[in-house]
């Protein structure tokens, strides 16, 4: 796996889209805030991938250190997330639609039957390890089938998703799969992760005037040094512009379980995730949000606008 390549591809493919028809009011105004407000979703990815990730993310949610999370339905700790959902009905839980399985020795397959989504799987019967491989091999109809299967599995376990987004940018790997992503989101009346970007016309035409488009996204990259981790996030908060921004973090504890899951991959690995957890739960981070007059919002708030 080439995580630096994944990061570059992820940023390129996430930055797709603005609504074809502009709404008369900004998202801030539609939510009841002044037009020039700085709205921020602090979002934790990858729930269900490990108990360590779940534990850190649940704690951050309970402390209001993050406002939203998303769940990898094919991963084995899904039922723990479902139990949390039952006891925390107000939690903002989205689905991190998963068409890739990137770790070296810890892998997962599809939710739908392998013979019905075979183009999503390698010869080992496991989801492709890299987003470009999804673009190369995945049949869009089978991708849509798997996306729907992931939504159905989550809902069958009592999880009521507030939004959809994408693991490693995999549903954004080509226009035909992006179309399936949009179609499923529309069918379930859910907001979904899309960013403003000048261009990408094949993607833009798939959006409706009701779709909510983020103005910017913040996520640490492998170029951020560990000793500059908190500085990166504090500066990101200071640099927020008016509009709707999502800050994506990856939470976990640097324990033996997560070290085994992320073996040989320091990027987005266990130490990375503990650094993210330590930052978002720190008093310095909370102070930066307050000092810069940031309004924290949830995908659940945006869901009400879509509906």
């Amino acid at each position: 796996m080439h995580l630096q390549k994944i990061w570059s591809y992820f940023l390129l493919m996430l930055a797709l889209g603005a609504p074809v028809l502009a709404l008369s009011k900004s998202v801030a105004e539609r939510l009841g805030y002044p037009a020039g407000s700085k709205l921020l979703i602090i979002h934790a990815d990858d729930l269900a991938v490990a108990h360590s990730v779940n534990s850190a993310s649940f704690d951050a949610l309970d402390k209001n250190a993050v406002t939203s999370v998303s769940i990898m339905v094919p991963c084995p700790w899904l039922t723990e997330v479902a139990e949390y959902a039952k006891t925390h009905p107000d939690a903002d839980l989205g689905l991190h639609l998963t068409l890739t399985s990137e770790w070296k020795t810890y892998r997962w397959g599809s939710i739908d039957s392998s013979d019905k989504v075979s183009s999503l799987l390698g010869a080992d019967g496991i989801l492709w390890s890299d987003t470009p491989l999804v673009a190369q091999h995945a049949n869009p109809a089978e991708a849509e089938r798997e996306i729907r299967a992931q939504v159905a599995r989550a809902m069958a376990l009592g999880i009521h998703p507030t939004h959809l987004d994408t693991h490693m940018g995999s549903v954004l790997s080509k226009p035909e799969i992006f179309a399936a992503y949009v179609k499923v989101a529309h069918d379930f009346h859910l907001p979904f992760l899309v960013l403003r970007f000048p261009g990408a016309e094949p993607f833009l035409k798939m959006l409706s005037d009701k779709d909510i488009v983020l103005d910017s996204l913040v996520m640490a990259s492998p170029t951020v040094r560990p000793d500059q981790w908190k500085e990166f996030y504090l500066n990101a908060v200071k640099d927020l512009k008016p509009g709707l921004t999502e800050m994506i973090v990856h939470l976990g504890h640097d324990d033996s379980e997560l070290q085994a899951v992320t073996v040989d991959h320091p990027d987005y690995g266990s130490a990375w995730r503990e650094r993210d957890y330590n930052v978002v739960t720190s008093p310095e981070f909370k102070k930066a949000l307050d000092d810069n007059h940031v309004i924290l919002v949830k995908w659940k708030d945006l869901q009400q606008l879509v509906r």
Side-chain angles (χ1 to χ4, degrees):
M1 181 181 62
H2 307 287
L3 280 173
Q4 184 64 51
K5 180 173 68 175
I6 289 171
W7 164 254
S8 300
Y9 191 85
F10 180 76
L11 285 186
L12 174 65
M13 296 308 294
L14 270 183
L16 298 171
V20 178
L21 301 175
L23 292 166
S24 58
K25 290 185 177 181
S26 68
V27 172
E29 290 174 299
R30 293 170 67 197
L31 289 174
Y33 301 110
S37 297
K38 301 175 184 177
L39 306 184
L40 179 65
I41 302 169
I42 306 176
H43 179 84
D45 274 353
D46 297 353
L47 268 75
V49 78
H51 170 68
S52 177
V53 169
N54 288 352
S55 177
S57 301
F58 296 159
D59 185 61
L61 275 172
D62 293 344
K63 292 177 177 176
N64 297 315
V66 298
T67 60
S68 174
V69 300
S70 59
I71 304 158
M72 298 176 68
V73 174
C75 293
W77 283 88
L78 176 64
T79 51
E80 184 178 52
V81 182
E83 286 301 309
Y84 181 86
K86 291 175 184 176
T87 57
H88 297 77
D90 293 330
D92 195 325
L93 308 176
L95 301 185
H96 202 45
L97 299 173
T98 303
L99 302 181
T100 50
S101 176
E102 75 273 30
W103 303 112
K104 181 180 179 180
T105 57
Y106 175 77
R107 312 293 303 284
W108 50 82
S110 60
I111 292 297
D112 209 336
S113 174
S114 60
D115 63 321
K116 296 178 180 176
V117 292
S118 59
S119 69
L120 307 184
L121 308 172
D124 55 5
I126 294 171
L127 291 169
W128 297 110
S129 62
D130 203 348
T131 298
L133 292 172
V134 176
Q136 180 181 350
H137 295 284
N139 177 289
E142 293 184 4
E144 180 178 343
R145 186 182 182 97
E146 175 61 20
I147 290 169
R148 290 186 183 278
Q150 292 183 19
V151 175
R153 172 65 61 85
M155 295 179 72
L157 289 174
I159 297 168
H160 304 288
T162 58
H163 68 285
L164 304 178
D165 60 36
T166 170
H167 184 54
M168 294 172 63
S170 55
V171 303
L172 308 174
S173 57
K174 57 185 177 183
E176 296 84 0
I177 296 179
F178 181 77
Y181 172 56
V182 174
K183 182 180 179 183
V184 174
H186 286 172
D187 286 350
F188 286 94
H189 306 289
L190 294 173
F192 54 97
L193 180 62
V194 188
L195 299 179
R196 296 193 184 281
F197 191 77
E201 286 76 11
F203 295 85
L204 298 182
K205 66 182 181 181
M206 303 176 202
L207 303 179
S208 77
D209 59 347
K210 291 184 178 180
D211 291 327
I212 295 172
V213 182
L214 301 181
D215 295 301
S216 60
L217 181 143
V218 174
M219 187 167 71
S221 77
T223 62
V224 180
R225 297 202 321 251
D227 62 340
Q228 296 178 336
W229 215 256
K230 185 175 289 185
E231 181 182 3
F232 166 79
Y233 283 109
L234 295 181
N235 287 336
V237 171
K238 293 174 185 176
D239 293 340
L240 285 178
K241 302 294 189 294
L244 178 62
T245 300
E246 178 166 272
M247 176 180 287
I248 297 178
V249 294
H250 299 81
L251 307 183
H253 300 302
D254 190 10
D255 56 20
S256 59
E257 180 205 25
L258 200 51
Q259 289 167 13
V261 166
T262 63
V263 63
D264 290 346
H265 292 293
D267 296 344
Y268 308 98
S270 59
W272 176 304
R273 291 166 190 262
E274 183 160 285
R275 289 195 298 270
D276 269 6
Y277 170 81
N278 288 339
V279 168
V280 298
T281 58
S282 70
E284 297 94 330
F285 185 73
K286 184 179 186 304
K287 184 175 185 299
L289 295 171
D290 293 338
D291 289 348
N292 289 277
H293 310 291
V294 176
I295 299 171
L296 298 183
V297 296
K298 303 178 179 182
W299 277 103
K300 184 176 287 190
D301 300 326
L302 305 181
Q303 184 184 19
Q304 300 308 312
L305 299 184
V306 170
R307 290 183 171 178

PDB file of all heavy atoms in Angstrom, residues 58 77-89 157-159:
ATOM      1  N   PHE A  58     -15.676   6.967  21.184  1.00  0.00           N
ATOM      2  CA  PHE A  58     -16.806   7.107  22.100  1.00  0.00           C
ATOM      3  C   PHE A  58     -16.485   8.141  23.183  1.00  0.00           C
ATOM      4  O   PHE A  58     -17.322   8.970  23.533  1.00  0.00           O
ATOM      5  CB  PHE A  58     -17.144   5.773  22.763  1.00  0.00           C
ATOM      6  CG  PHE A  58     -17.623   4.697  21.835  1.00  0.00           C
ATOM      7  CD1 PHE A  58     -17.537   3.363  22.212  1.00  0.00           C
ATOM      8  CD2 PHE A  58     -18.167   5.000  20.595  1.00  0.00           C
ATOM      9  CE1 PHE A  58     -17.983   2.354  21.372  1.00  0.00           C
ATOM     10  CE2 PHE A  58     -18.613   3.998  19.740  1.00  0.00           C
ATOM     11  CZ  PHE A  58     -18.518   2.670  20.133  1.00  0.00           C
ATOM     12  N   TRP A  77     -15.628  -4.830  14.634  1.00  0.00           N
ATOM     13  CA  TRP A  77     -16.116  -4.250  15.877  1.00  0.00           C
ATOM     14  C   TRP A  77     -17.401  -3.439  15.674  1.00  0.00           C
ATOM     15  O   TRP A  77     -17.726  -2.550  16.454  1.00  0.00           O
ATOM     16  CB  TRP A  77     -15.026  -3.410  16.537  1.00  0.00           C
ATOM     17  CG  TRP A  77     -13.999  -4.275  17.217  1.00  0.00           C
ATOM     18  CD1 TRP A  77     -12.868  -4.809  16.665  1.00  0.00           C
ATOM     19  CD2 TRP A  77     -14.036  -4.737  18.569  1.00  0.00           C
ATOM     20  NE1 TRP A  77     -12.201  -5.571  17.588  1.00  0.00           N
ATOM     21  CE2 TRP A  77     -12.887  -5.543  18.768  1.00  0.00           C
ATOM     22  CE3 TRP A  77     -14.915  -4.558  19.632  1.00  0.00           C
ATOM     23  CZ2 TRP A  77     -12.599  -6.157  19.985  1.00  0.00           C
ATOM     24  CZ3 TRP A  77     -14.633  -5.163  20.848  1.00  0.00           C
ATOM     25  CH2 TRP A  77     -13.490  -5.954  21.006  1.00  0.00           C
ATOM     26  N   LEU A  78     -18.139  -3.771  14.615  1.00  0.00           N
ATOM     27  CA  LEU A  78     -19.385  -3.063  14.302  1.00  0.00           C
ATOM     28  C   LEU A  78     -20.427  -3.228  15.400  1.00  0.00           C
ATOM     29  O   LEU A  78     -21.145  -2.278  15.740  1.00  0.00           O
ATOM     30  CB  LEU A  78     -19.944  -3.575  12.969  1.00  0.00           C
ATOM     31  CG  LEU A  78     -21.294  -3.008  12.528  1.00  0.00           C
ATOM     32  CD1 LEU A  78     -21.211  -1.514  12.268  1.00  0.00           C
ATOM     33  CD2 LEU A  78     -21.795  -3.746  11.293  1.00  0.00           C
ATOM     34  N   THR A  79     -20.540  -4.420  15.957  1.00  0.00           N
ATOM     35  CA  THR A  79     -21.595  -4.643  16.952  1.00  0.00           C
ATOM     36  C   THR A  79     -21.362  -3.812  18.214  1.00  0.00           C
ATOM     37  O   THR A  79     -22.324  -3.430  18.888  1.00  0.00           O
ATOM     38  CB  THR A  79     -21.700  -6.134  17.314  1.00  0.00           C
ATOM     39  OG1 THR A  79     -20.406  -6.630  17.654  1.00  0.00           O
ATOM     40  CG2 THR A  79     -22.255  -6.929  16.140  1.00  0.00           C
ATOM     41  N   GLU A  80     -20.110  -3.513  18.537  1.00  0.00           N
ATOM     42  CA  GLU A  80     -19.840  -2.635  19.676  1.00  0.00           C
ATOM     43  C   GLU A  80     -20.371  -1.227  19.390  1.00  0.00           C
ATOM     44  O   GLU A  80     -20.926  -0.568  20.275  1.00  0.00           O
ATOM     45  CB  GLU A  80     -18.346  -2.587  19.977  1.00  0.00           C
ATOM     46  CG  GLU A  80     -18.011  -1.762  21.213  1.00  0.00           C
ATOM     47  CD  GLU A  80     -16.527  -1.769  21.530  1.00  0.00           C
ATOM     48  OE1 GLU A  80     -15.713  -1.477  20.623  1.00  0.00           O
ATOM     49  OE2 GLU A  80     -16.167  -2.061  22.694  1.00  0.00           O
ATOM     50  N   VAL A  81     -20.202  -0.779  18.160  1.00  0.00           N
ATOM     51  CA  VAL A  81     -20.750   0.524  17.768  1.00  0.00           C
ATOM     52  C   VAL A  81     -22.277   0.497  17.842  1.00  0.00           C
ATOM     53  O   VAL A  81     -22.904   1.465  18.287  1.00  0.00           O
ATOM     54  CB  VAL A  81     -20.278   0.918  16.360  1.00  0.00           C
ATOM     55  CG1 VAL A  81     -20.823   2.293  15.986  1.00  0.00           C
ATOM     56  CG2 VAL A  81     -18.754   0.914  16.267  1.00  0.00           C
ATOM     57  N   ALA A  82     -22.868  -0.591  17.411  1.00  0.00           N
ATOM     58  CA  ALA A  82     -24.330  -0.702  17.452  1.00  0.00           C
ATOM     59  C   ALA A  82     -24.838  -0.613  18.895  1.00  0.00           C
ATOM     60  O   ALA A  82     -25.886   0.004  19.152  1.00  0.00           O
ATOM     61  CB  ALA A  82     -24.776  -2.006  16.805  1.00  0.00           C
ATOM     62  N   GLU A  83     -24.129  -1.225  19.830  1.00  0.00           N
ATOM     63  CA  GLU A  83     -24.526  -1.132  21.234  1.00  0.00           C
ATOM     64  C   GLU A  83     -24.431   0.307  21.730  1.00  0.00           C
ATOM     65  O   GLU A  83     -25.296   0.782  22.473  1.00  0.00           O
ATOM     66  CB  GLU A  83     -23.649  -2.051  22.093  1.00  0.00           C
ATOM     67  CG  GLU A  83     -23.969  -3.517  21.937  1.00  0.00           C
ATOM     68  CD  GLU A  83     -25.417  -3.837  22.299  1.00  0.00           C
ATOM     69  OE1 GLU A  83     -25.853  -3.427  23.397  1.00  0.00           O
ATOM     70  OE2 GLU A  83     -26.111  -4.458  21.490  1.00  0.00           O
ATOM     71  N   TYR A  84     -23.372   1.016  21.324  1.00  0.00           N
ATOM     72  CA  TYR A  84     -23.240   2.420  21.700  1.00  0.00           C
ATOM     73  C   TYR A  84     -24.394   3.230  21.117  1.00  0.00           C
ATOM     74  O   TYR A  84     -24.961   4.109  21.778  1.00  0.00           O
ATOM     75  CB  TYR A  84     -21.899   2.969  21.206  1.00  0.00           C
ATOM     76  CG  TYR A  84     -21.655   4.416  21.556  1.00  0.00           C
ATOM     77  CD1 TYR A  84     -21.096   4.776  22.785  1.00  0.00           C
ATOM     78  CD2 TYR A  84     -21.984   5.430  20.667  1.00  0.00           C
ATOM     79  CE1 TYR A  84     -20.876   6.110  23.109  1.00  0.00           C
ATOM     80  CE2 TYR A  84     -21.769   6.767  20.983  1.00  0.00           C
ATOM     81  CZ  TYR A  84     -21.213   7.097  22.204  1.00  0.00           C
ATOM     82  OH  TYR A  84     -21.009   8.420  22.522  1.00  0.00           O
ATOM     83  N   ALA A  85     -24.751   2.945  19.869  1.00  0.00           N
ATOM     84  CA  ALA A  85     -25.840   3.672  19.221  1.00  0.00           C
ATOM     85  C   ALA A  85     -27.149   3.513  19.993  1.00  0.00           C
ATOM     86  O   ALA A  85     -27.928   4.468  20.118  1.00  0.00           O
ATOM     87  CB  ALA A  85     -26.008   3.199  17.782  1.00  0.00           C
ATOM     88  N   LYS A  86     -27.387   2.311  20.508  1.00  0.00           N
ATOM     89  CA  LYS A  86     -28.633   2.067  21.239  1.00  0.00           C
ATOM     90  C   LYS A  86     -28.698   2.872  22.531  1.00  0.00           C
ATOM     91  O   LYS A  86     -29.776   3.322  22.943  1.00  0.00           O
ATOM     92  CB  LYS A  86     -28.763   0.579  21.545  1.00  0.00           C
ATOM     93  CG  LYS A  86     -29.011  -0.288  20.318  1.00  0.00           C
ATOM     94  CD  LYS A  86     -29.004  -1.764  20.669  1.00  0.00           C
ATOM     95  CE  LYS A  86     -29.149  -2.629  19.425  1.00  0.00           C
ATOM     96  NZ  LYS A  86     -29.057  -4.083  19.737  1.00  0.00           N
ATOM     97  N   THR A  87     -27.573   3.055  23.199  1.00  0.00           N
ATOM     98  CA  THR A  87     -27.543   3.767  24.478  1.00  0.00           C
ATOM     99  C   THR A  87     -27.254   5.252  24.315  1.00  0.00           C
ATOM    100  O   THR A  87     -27.311   5.993  25.294  1.00  0.00           O
ATOM    101  CB  THR A  87     -26.500   3.143  25.416  1.00  0.00           C
ATOM    102  OG1 THR A  87     -25.214   3.159  24.778  1.00  0.00           O
ATOM    103  CG2 THR A  87     -26.885   1.704  25.753  1.00  0.00           C
ATOM    104  N   HIS A  88     -26.940   5.681  23.083  1.00  0.00           N
ATOM    105  CA  HIS A  88     -26.651   7.094  22.806  1.00  0.00           C
ATOM    106  C   HIS A  88     -27.417   7.504  21.542  1.00  0.00           C
ATOM    107  O   HIS A  88     -26.829   7.757  20.493  1.00  0.00           O
ATOM    108  CB  HIS A  88     -25.154   7.319  22.616  1.00  0.00           C
ATOM    109  CG  HIS A  88     -24.328   7.010  23.827  1.00  0.00           C
ATOM    110  ND1 HIS A  88     -24.024   5.713  24.199  1.00  0.00           N
ATOM    111  CD2 HIS A  88     -23.759   7.826  24.759  1.00  0.00           C
ATOM    112  CE1 HIS A  88     -23.296   5.756  25.313  1.00  0.00           C
ATOM    113  NE2 HIS A  88     -23.120   7.014  25.668  1.00  0.00           N
ATOM    114  N   PRO A  89     -28.737   7.567  21.630  1.00  0.00           N
ATOM    115  CA  PRO A  89     -29.539   7.816  20.426  1.00  0.00           C
ATOM    116  C   PRO A  89     -29.293   9.178  19.779  1.00  0.00           C
ATOM    117  O   PRO A  89     -29.630   9.369  18.606  1.00  0.00           O
ATOM    118  CB  PRO A  89     -30.982   7.694  20.935  1.00  0.00           C
ATOM    119  CG  PRO A  89     -30.885   7.942  22.402  1.00  0.00           C
ATOM    120  CD  PRO A  89     -29.579   7.384  22.831  1.00  0.00           C
ATOM    121  N   LEU A 157     -28.849  -3.307  12.485  1.00  0.00           N
ATOM    122  CA  LEU A 157     -28.285  -3.374  13.833  1.00  0.00           C
ATOM    123  C   LEU A 157     -28.756  -2.220  14.712  1.00  0.00           C
ATOM    124  O   LEU A 157     -28.304  -2.079  15.843  1.00  0.00           O
ATOM    125  CB  LEU A 157     -26.761  -3.379  13.764  1.00  0.00           C
ATOM    126  CG  LEU A 157     -26.126  -4.666  13.216  1.00  0.00           C
ATOM    127  CD1 LEU A 157     -24.618  -4.494  13.062  1.00  0.00           C
ATOM    128  CD2 LEU A 157     -26.429  -5.850  14.126  1.00  0.00           C
ATOM    129  N   GLY A 158     -29.644  -1.385  14.193  1.00  0.00           N
ATOM    130  CA  GLY A 158     -30.184  -0.293  14.995  1.00  0.00           C
ATOM    131  C   GLY A 158     -29.425   1.010  14.883  1.00  0.00           C
ATOM    132  O   GLY A 158     -29.663   1.939  15.664  1.00  0.00           O
ATOM    133  N   ILE A 159     -28.516   1.087  13.919  1.00  0.00           N
ATOM    134  CA  ILE A 159     -27.790   2.332  13.676  1.00  0.00           C
ATOM    135  C   ILE A 159     -28.578   3.152  12.667  1.00  0.00           C
ATOM    136  O   ILE A 159     -28.938   2.650  11.599  1.00  0.00           O
ATOM    137  CB  ILE A 159     -26.374   2.047  13.141  1.00  0.00           C
ATOM    138  CG1 ILE A 159     -25.559   1.285  14.186  1.00  0.00           C
ATOM    139  CG2 ILE A 159     -25.658   3.341  12.741  1.00  0.00           C
ATOM    140  CD1 ILE A 159     -24.261   0.706  13.655  1.00  0.00           C
TER     141      ILE A 159
END
